[in-house]
Amino acid sequence: MDLAEKTCIPCRGGVAALDRPKAEELIQQVPGWSLDSEGKRIVRCFCFQNFLEALAFVNRVGELAEEQDHHPDIKFGYGYAEVWIHTHAIGGLHENDFILAAKVNGLEQAAD
């Protein structure tokens, strides 16, 4: 099943974070995203024409995060939004992170 079609399942901890080989496999399914140097978070920077476009995108990501009960870290400003995703409860990556990334990619495509 395509990652964007899945739903995040709440992770309360007690499971192991994905190892780097599995994370590298899943990152291939979310174009534009990269693993951080430690393989514990994924990140993507989105570019926009102005501050209002960036803000609107951040708000859509926030709504999506609430729907999925999975919350990224977001930094944004004039013309950009940087989204960092990991599973706080396990201090690393979980399949949920890649599901959310795929859904965020869908937001970008819907805006085009």
Side-chain angles (χ1 to χ4, degrees):
M1 179 183 285
D2 182 42
L3 286 171
E5 295 174 13
K6 294 184 175 185
T7 300
C8 293
I9 300 167
C11 179
R12 305 290 179 227
V15 297
L18 297 176
D19 61 19
R20 188 169 191 99
K22 182 63 176 175
E24 288 173 348
E25 176 186 325
L26 287 171
I27 201 77
Q28 299 304 312
Q29 297 178 49
V30 285
W33 291 83
S34 302
L35 285 170
D36 73 352
S37 61
E38 297 178 6
K40 293 187 176 193
R41 298 188 304 170
I42 56 175
V43 61
R44 180 166 180 198
C45 190
F46 297 85
C47 296
F48 303 95
Q49 295 296 313
N50 55 51
F51 183 83
L52 287 177
E53 286 182 14
L55 177 60
F57 177 76
V58 167
N59 286 332
R60 289 194 314 275
V61 171
E63 291 168 6
L64 174 63
E66 281 296 302
E67 289 171 12
Q68 294 296 309
D69 195 23
H70 195 54
H71 304 94
D73 297 315
I74 304 171
K75 177 176 121 179
F76 81 104
Y78 190 93
Y80 78 96
E82 190 174 272
V83 182
W84 290 84
I85 306 175
H86 74 285
T87 299
H88 298 87
I90 60 174
L93 291 168
H94 185 277
E95 183 184 40
N96 287 339
D97 303 309
F98 297 92
I99 292 170
L100 185 61
K103 290 179 180 296
V104 170
N105 279 359
L107 293 176
E108 180 196 32
Q109 292 166 355
D112 289 342

